[in-house]
Amino acid sequence: MHELALIQELCALAQAAAEQQGATRITQLWLQVGDRCGVDADALRLAFAVVQEQHCWRQTHLNLELVPTQCRCHRCQQPYRPEDVVALCPHCGGLECDRLTGQELTLMAVEVA
Amino acid sequence: MCNGAVHRLELQQRLLSRNDQDAARNRRQFQRLGLQVVNLLSAPGSGKTSLLEQLARRWPRPPIGVIVGDLATDHDATRLRQAGARSVQICTGDRCHLDAVLVERALAQLDAAALDLLVIENVGNLVCPTAFDLGEQRRVAVLAVTEGEDKPLKYPALFATADAVLINKSDLADAVGFDRAAAHHNLRAVAPRAPVFEVSARQGESLTAWMQWLEQPHGLGP
Ligand SMILES: [Zn+2]
């Protein structure tokens, strides 16, 4: 459900940026979606399809850029990609880490005409 | 733009940036009020309301404030008021989470200056509320023993963002075959830094350690 709210937020941000440029049409959107941001990419696509039933978004293409999780181990400071929900460090077995990427939910760019 | 030229605008705007701004405003307001605020998250049916009734009765400086997010009814807020809490219900309707603006409006209905602890009882949902900052200083995730010890592995985002985890209905653990050791192991794996408290609304004294944690002021510095 919250995917629709997020897509509406996406559209509001894009529209504001387009209006600032005096553009009348938004042809493409680029959205970065981290794999641990709590939002499902398919659900976002579905929610965007709902928005596209409105005339002004019918010609807009949504590009989703999926970002995999990257961690940095607190103990050995090495970066790694966790294989599981448990972010165990493959180098030293450490459990505590900083998440470098994977939480993104970011409107990167819009293409306007 | 009649020439049909297209161009690309670089934005790099977080989708939740408006909610983040609203949450930052709440956070400043909480700080001004000297108010400790906890966002309580869980699956539906984890027993948050009963737990908060106990907390309301036992908190040394009553009343506590509770903002309750619920899909439809205001039943929970009524129960909490009967337990001595100051409580406002937000009926979220078809929304599956609270956002920072809803909390800001609810706060205006509480006489918050008289409070030192505010708990936001989020909508029972393991996925959606995690993404929304409400301005709270601390997040607490609740796992009821009836949900099973592997819940933290199935919904890691909820537990990984928590500052503390409550294992609730702990008096039922043996009856439902809850594997305590496995639960603690799984929680350490997804939330290595969060302290874990076993609590039960039916055994009020079980709240003591969690209440001591709540008493430690957090995020109210100058
Ligand atoms: Zn390591």
Side-chain angles (χ1 to χ4, degrees):
Chain A
M1 281 303 286
H2 69 311
E3 282 83 4
L4 188 56
L6 290 171
I7 286 292
Q8 282 163 347
E9 194 68 32
L10 170 78
C11 292
L13 291 176
Q15 212 149 22
E19 276 166 19
Q20 226 173 20
Q21 297 286 317
T24 52
R25 284 192 304 131
I26 298 172
T27 48
Q28 293 198 70
L29 300 169
W30 285 269
L31 180 65
Q32 254 188 7
V33 184
D35 64 359
R36 297 284 168 83
C37 73
V39 182
D40 181 59
D42 287 332
L44 282 176
R45 287 194 189 93
L46 213 63
F48 190 67
V50 172
V51 169
Q52 277 187 311
E53 286 167 18
Q54 300 165 36
H55 178 72
C56 52
W57 295 101
R58 206 163 289 159
Q59 305 295 329
T60 309
H61 181 72
L62 174 65
N63 303 284
L64 294 186
E65 223 177 286
L66 304 179
V67 184
T69 300
Q70 278 274 356
C71 298
R72 189 199 310 281
C73 176
H74 274 193
R75 209 194 297 175
C76 72
Q77 295 298 318
Q78 297 217 56
Y80 63 96
R81 275 193 63 180
E83 291 186 0
D84 199 352
V85 295
V86 179
L88 200 70
C89 172
H91 308 294
C92 74
L95 261 179
E96 296 201 17
C97 62
D98 290 321
R99 309 258 165 178
L100 304 176
T101 62
Q103 319 272 15
E104 294 80 358
L105 194 56
T106 310
L107 174 58
M108 297 305 289
V110 297
E111 187 184 74
V112 296
Chain B
M1 295 274 151
C2 42
N3 59 4
V6 294
H7 59 280
R8 183 178 151 119
L9 312 173
E10 302 297 331
L11 295 176
Q12 299 220 8
Q13 253 176 323
R14 255 176 62 78
L15 224 51
L16 291 168
S17 51
R18 282 208 292 205
N19 184 71
D20 290 347
Q21 284 161 20
D22 299 334
R25 203 167 55 237
N26 285 351
R27 195 165 278 120
R28 287 193 296 274
Q29 174 73 349
F30 297 150
Q31 187 166 2
R32 261 198 301 277
L33 293 166
L35 189 58
Q36 287 289 322
V37 182
V38 169
N39 185 359
L40 196 62
L41 303 119
S42 78
S46 67
K48 285 189 300 238
T49 309
S50 306
L51 204 58
L52 291 178
E53 282 177 280
Q54 273 293 346
L55 182 66
R57 293 205 174 94
R58 290 177 165 264
W59 189 248
R61 294 169 302 282
I64 65 166
V66 184
I67 293 175
V68 188
D70 196 298
L71 297 177
T73 71
D74 71 346
H75 183 67
D76 291 352
T78 308
R79 272 173 63 191
L80 287 160
R81 273 195 290 274
Q82 281 161 359
R86 214 168 270 174
S87 173
V88 179
Q89 186 102 18
I90 301 175
C91 287
T92 51
D94 59 352
R95 272 195 265 196
C96 49
H97 59 268
L98 293 177
D99 63 30
V101 165
L102 291 175
V103 167
E104 185 178 34
R105 282 188 213 137
L107 185 70
Q109 295 175 49
L110 284 171
D111 184 10
L115 306 172
D116 72 340
L117 176 66
L118 172 68
V119 181
I120 302 169
E121 182 184 341
N122 217 313
V123 181
N125 182 328
L126 285 165
V127 181
C128 310
T130 310
F132 290 82
D133 182 6
L134 305 178
E136 74 274 6
Q137 290 111 2
R138 288 183 286 188
R139 283 186 179 205
V140 176
V142 184
L143 168 71
V145 296
T146 45
E147 298 173 67
E149 58 279 341
D150 52 354
K151 205 74 171 249
L153 301 182
K154 290 184 189 154
Y155 299 94
L158 178 84
F159 295 94
T161 58
D163 298 294
V165 178
L166 304 180
I167 296 179
N168 194 21
K169 307 186 188 178
S170 61
D171 56 317
L172 299 176
D174 293 337
V176 298
F178 182 75
D179 186 338
R180 273 204 168 82
H184 282 275
H185 180 266
N186 293 341
L187 285 170
R188 246 196 326 276
V190 297
R193 274 171 280 191
V196 178
F197 303 106
E198 295 195 16
V199 294
S200 162
R202 289 199 286 190
Q203 296 167 340
E205 66 283 4
S206 70
L207 272 69
T208 306
W210 179 43
M211 282 174 51
Q212 281 166 355
W213 181 84
L214 287 170
E215 292 256 25
Q216 295 161 14
H218 198 276
L220 288 180

